[in-house]
Amino acid sequence: MASHLSNGYVNGDSQKTFSLADLPKSNNFTQKLPPDPEYPTPAVSHKTDRSKLGPRLVRSAAYTFVRPVSFEKKELLGVSQAALRDLAIDNATVNTDEFVETVSGNKIITIEGKEQPDDNDIYPWAQCYGGFQFGQWAGQLGDGRAISLFETTNPTTGTRYELQLKGAGKTPYSRFADGRAVLRSSIREFVVSESLHALGIPSTRALSLTLAPEARVRREMTEPGAIVARFAQSWLRLGTFDLARSRGDRDLIRKLADYVAEEVFPGWEALPAKLVSTEEKDAIDPPRGVPREELQGSEDKSEAQENRYTRLYREIVRRNAKTVAYWQAYGFMNGVLNTDNTSIFGLSIDFGPFAFMDNFDPSYTPNHDDHMLRYSYKNQPTIIWWNLVRLGESFGELIGAGSRVDDDAFKKEGVKDDYMDEVVKRAENTIQTTGEEYQTVFLAEYKRLMTARLGLNSFKDSDFEELYSELLDTLEALELDFNHFFRRLSFIMIEELDTEDKRKDVAGRFFHHEGLSGLVGSEAEARARMGTWLGKWVGRVKEDWPTSTEGTEERFAAMKAVNPKFVPRSWILDELINRVEKQGEREILGHVMDMALNPFNEEWGWNKEEEERFCGDVPKFQRAMQCSCSS
Ligand SMILES: Nc1ncnc2c1ncn2[C@@H]1O[C@H](COP(=O)(O)OP(=O)(O)OP(=O)(O)O)[C@@H](O)[C@H]1O
């Protein structure tokens, strides 16, 4: 196999690694949740003609057993070294037939050699979910082109992941589409999943990218197909609960909630305890360890009473609040934040028309079809909360029931008229107070990240107005690049900013190579405005750091470690796609992946000129690109 596959992340740790076949595997998802009643076991699905496993409505189920459909010809284009490490896969096994055949959907290693799988065998499955798309209920969606192979737990880290193929053929959830993915969108997902993770942003991950050179997938044009092998601690989405709720399937909602608490999270006791105050300190790091059955809150009938499902809802909300804070602090936009693209585990998930911000513009959306700007940068925190309110509605009965949640009558028949008001009130109250918690957690995380990005060790109340808002307004007004700003700021010395003239001079480092656009005012005004901001910033740096050489070096190192030199911007991904798909280049993918996996490096030892070009000013006419949803 070509050498480009071994480029990338250098793994310093020593851990036991395995071939894909030898990885420790499990199937808790299919064992603990209800299957599609028409194909209730692996054996029934396996002996069914594959073409019959096509689109239909599936009820009372979390998934359908369904095997992938591979392509005849395949070429492994890339693997992520970081993914290999996190999954405990031996790098030396990547070039084997077993690896390539498994990640391209040709081999089901868990039933290898068997004519028919047994009922308890680990067998591929596609999830059933629904979703609100652009604010409208869209009905059943589900994994229309994703098929999970197995779960695996890394024995060193103890983290369990579900390995899944995207683009591996039709499932009952494919609706009118083909179950395939094109190379273009697969390259984008492969790179960005790993980039987000390397930046510290919770995300689903990507293990490998396989090209099907002869497959022609029809979109606006006919394009080559591809399969991404991807993995996550959970692929459950808010839309999984939406669908059960839309069908009034109370039993499934409860099963799903129990599964999330017991299998996705480390158990009921790991969930956050009731907040005792609205203090930020309490909200950021609430105590945990509440016994499963315990009700928290003063009186039995109190609206504020919390049972275990309330704690679970709050955990899901808190995780998403933190992830959105990361997106805002790093200028990342998902582009289609429908409820089927919002993760129960708080991961960035589903990479369609996503983008990293070029020039700072709060109204920017990378989604060409999002005319209302619903999923624009500035709307992301509000939209994720909108999605989480839908989840609160699905959880409504469970969180509203308070102490009745385990009563047999309630479990069987639901809420009775004589206590309906109490349940509704408690659920509404919980959603409202959880909304406040969402805001507090989001703001606390955003402040933590921005404080670090600005190279400060402390947060002062005045920072919000004077540093954050003023900086963002300035970047927007002067049409300056968001992520470049922070990286360039990371290397400015205090002495360079000790007079007004020097500050105005340094201000020019943040301008584009072609200078300022005519629309932003005179250059002198721009320099003065940025200079004023730099003056405030350096004042805060002096409060937080010693002015010694060591102090400066330490600050440089701290800032460099949180302000990436490389992010996979839309123009870079476009060039990468063009070079791989149209020019037949291969090694470039490994190099870009290496940059994505090590985004804080100064250099990558590949090609200085190319590296600097990818990290430098975005070509003027390729800024703020948009793409459509077709993938
Ligand atoms: N080519 C396709 N074939 C079958 N189903 C598809 C296809 N493209 C999209 N879908 C389905 O349409 C719905 C919305 O698509 P969307 O683009 O948000 O998801 P996706 O990118 O396919 O999947 P994921 O969220 O798993 O990354 C999902 O249910 C998805 O499975």
Side-chain angles (χ1 to χ4, degrees):
M1 186 64 59
S3 63
H4 60 272
L5 291 178
S6 58
N7 281 340
Y9 196 91
V10 178
N11 178 9
D13 342 317
S14 57
Q15 64 167 0
K16 190 162 165 39
T17 54
F18 307 83
S19 68
L20 271 184
D22 294 338
L23 278 177
K25 301 187 189 67
S26 59
N27 58 349
N28 288 276
F29 190 92
T30 57
Q31 294 271 306
K32 304 223 157 106
L33 289 168
D36 179 344
E38 286 199 33
Y39 303 95
T41 63
V44 175
S45 176
H46 197 69
K47 61 180 172 228
T48 303
D49 176 356
R50 185 60 180 77
S51 63
K52 296 219 168 74
L53 288 162
R56 53 177 243 282
L57 287 178
V58 178
R59 294 185 187 275
S60 316
Y63 65 93
T64 303
F65 288 114
V66 56
R67 58 193 179 281
V69 184
S70 186
F71 295 104
E72 184 119 333
K73 285 232 163 111
K74 54 219 128 198
E75 179 190 349
L76 185 63
L77 291 184
V79 292
S80 157
Q81 292 293 317
L84 290 178
R85 186 202 55 184
D86 292 344
L87 290 167
I89 298 172
D90 181 353
N91 195 14
T93 64
V94 162
N95 299 327
T96 58
D97 274 358
E98 174 197 271
F99 186 92
V100 179
E101 295 299 312
T102 307
V103 298
S104 63
N106 204 32
K107 186 177 206 160
I108 306 175
I109 41 184
T110 46
I111 59 154
E112 181 70 349
K114 286 186 172 176
E115 189 87 338
Q116 285 297 323
D118 299 328
D119 286 359
N120 289 331
D121 274 339
I122 301 172
Y123 190 83
W125 67 95
Q127 277 191 30
C128 179
Y129 58 82
F132 287 89
Q133 300 190 319
F134 290 87
Q136 305 296 320
W137 175 239
Q140 177 183 301
L141 301 167
D143 284 333
R145 52 176 169 171
I147 297 178
S148 290
L149 299 181
F150 51 78
E151 298 154 2
T152 177
T153 304
N154 178 322
T156 308
T157 62
T159 305
R160 186 169 81 200
Y161 296 104
E162 187 176 319
L163 186 71
Q164 179 173 91
L165 306 182
K166 179 163 173 181
K170 279 194 197 171
T171 75
Y173 310 102
S174 301
R175 296 177 295 156
F176 38 81
D178 59 4
R180 295 298 182 194
V182 295
L183 177 60
R184 170 174 50 84
S185 65
S186 305
I187 289 179
R188 283 169 54 85
E189 171 155 1
F190 180 59
V191 175
V192 79
S193 310
E194 292 302 275
S195 160
L196 288 170
H197 176 72
L199 291 168
I201 304 179
S203 177
T204 64
R205 307 281 306 279
L207 168 63
S208 65
L209 171 66
T210 309
L211 168 70
E214 287 177 357
R216 309 313 298 168
V217 178
R218 285 179 72 97
R219 295 294 179 260
E220 280 97 1
M221 292 181 310
T222 307
E223 301 183 43
I227 294 180
V228 174
R230 52 188 203 170
F231 60 106
Q233 290 91 332
S234 172
W235 288 100
L236 285 168
R237 301 130 193 271
L238 304 196
T240 316
F241 284 86
D242 293 335
L243 183 62
R245 175 174 182 246
S246 80
R247 293 169 168 175
D249 195 341
R250 301 175 53 244
D251 193 41
L252 183 56
I253 293 181
R254 194 172 177 118
K255 281 188 181 135
L256 286 165
D258 290 349
Y259 178 83
V260 172
E262 291 162 12
E263 293 294 330
V264 176
F265 298 139
W268 292 105
E269 286 74 19
L271 300 174
K274 188 172 172 58
L275 298 185
V276 287
S277 71
T278 49
E279 298 262 306
E280 195 177 283
K281 180 163 59 47
D282 186 30
I284 294 171
D285 195 11
R288 291 169 189 260
V290 187
R292 179 178 184 272
E293 315 301 342
E294 192 166 316
L295 291 161
Q296 294 191 293
S298 45
E299 310 134 46
D300 198 33
K301 296 265 178 302
S302 149
E303 284 173 19
Q305 189 184 69
E306 293 194 358
N307 63 19
R308 64 179 181 276
Y309 293 102
T310 303
R311 293 190 282 276
L312 175 60
Y313 176 55
R314 287 181 40 228
E315 175 69 9
I316 297 167
V317 167
R318 298 172 61 83
R319 284 172 170 269
N320 278 286
K322 288 187 181 172
T323 300
V324 190
Y326 265 103
W327 295 345
Q328 301 308 96
Y330 281 88
F332 176 77
M333 282 141 292
N334 169 293
V336 203
L337 287 174
N338 295 328
T339 58
D340 54 302
N341 296 341
T342 311
S343 152
I344 286 290
F345 201 70
L347 303 169
S348 312
I349 188 171
D350 193 320
F351 302 107
F354 67 84
F356 279 94
M357 187 86 91
D358 293 318
N359 286 353
F360 184 74
D361 172 6
S363 298
Y364 170 65
T365 170
N367 186 340
H368 183 266
D369 306 319
D370 182 11
H371 307 295
M372 305 297 284
L373 306 185
R374 181 179 173 91
Y375 301 134
S376 60
Y377 173 81
K378 68 175 176 215
N379 284 343
Q380 295 194 120
T382 317
I383 282 299
I384 288 292
W385 176 242
W386 188 94
N387 294 350
L388 289 163
V389 174
R390 303 288 80 72
L391 181 71
E393 289 162 359
S394 298
F395 268 62
E397 201 180 273
L398 293 172
I399 60 187
S403 58
R404 289 191 173 88
V405 80
D406 291 319
D407 289 358
D408 283 343
F410 168 77
K411 278 162 80 176
K412 239 190 241 147
E413 291 146 43
V415 185
K416 290 274 185 339
D417 283 352
D418 54 346
Y419 60 87
M420 175 76 78
D421 282 355
E422 177 201 318
V423 171
V424 171
K425 256 197 201 145
R426 193 180 288 120
E428 283 175 355
N429 182 63
T430 302
I431 295 173
Q432 193 196 326
T433 52
T434 309
E436 287 154 22
E437 190 173 353
Y438 172 80
Q439 270 190 31
T440 311
V441 173
F442 166 77
L443 276 178
E445 190 68 353
Y446 181 71
K447 279 193 299 200
R448 184 182 75 77
L449 295 167
M450 289 295 278
T451 300
R453 294 205 78 181
L454 290 171
L456 302 176
N457 291 322
S458 64
F459 175 78
K460 283 168 70 171
D461 284 341
S462 56
D463 288 347
F464 221 101
E465 266 311 298
E466 292 182 12
L467 285 186
Y468 302 4
S469 297
E470 185 49 33
L471 171 64
L472 298 181
D473 289 349
T474 304
L475 293 178
E476 183 184 4
L478 304 185
E479 298 177 7
L480 301 181
D481 190 285
F482 183 66
N483 275 303
H484 282 155
F485 174 83
F486 289 98
R487 183 73 179 191
R488 290 174 191 168
L489 188 72
S490 305
F491 299 101
I492 293 175
M493 295 197 293
I494 290 174
E495 308 79 86
E496 292 183 277
L497 298 175
D498 57 15
T499 68
E500 195 180 330
D501 281 348
K502 281 188 181 177
R503 290 194 284 272
K504 285 184 182 164
D505 197 37
V506 167
R509 287 187 206 169
F510 305 110
F511 297 174
H512 287 293
H513 65 276
E514 78 278 4
L516 294 162
S517 116
L519 301 172
V520 308
S522 75
E523 183 174 331
E525 282 164 356
R527 284 184 183 275
R529 181 166 183 178
M530 182 57 87
T532 305
W533 185 87
L534 288 168
K536 285 185 197 154
W537 174 73
V538 78
R540 286 286 288 110
V541 169
K542 283 191 212 153
E543 287 170 13
D544 278 16
W545 290 97
T547 46
S548 59
T549 316
E550 296 78 44
T552 302
E553 273 168 15
E554 227 183 290
R555 174 172 60 84
F556 282 2
M559 290 184 77
K560 202 180 120 174
V562 292
N563 292 321
K565 178 161 174 172
F566 177 80
V567 288
R569 294 161 185 271
S570 303
W571 79 274
I572 296 170
L573 292 170
D574 257 25
E575 178 175 323
L576 177 65
I577 290 163
N578 185 42
R579 288 170 68 170
V580 173
E581 186 177 326
K582 306 270 163 33
Q583 322 295 326
E585 285 188 45
R586 291 293 178 259
E587 303 217 338
I588 181 74
L589 184 61
H591 294 311
V592 171
M593 186 54 116
D594 186 25
M595 296 177 83
L597 291 177
N598 301 285
F600 306 109
N601 279 12
E602 207 31 53
E603 52 193 337
W604 291 266
W606 153 47
N607 173 330
K608 184 112 186 94
E609 209 175 298
E610 286 282 81
E611 290 169 15
E612 288 305 317
R613 191 168 66 82
F614 280 162
C615 297
D617 216 0
V618 181
K620 189 166 176 199
F621 297 106
Q622 288 176 294
R623 291 178 197 151
M625 290 165 60
Q626 292 187 310
C627 45
S628 79
C629 289
S630 121
S631 58

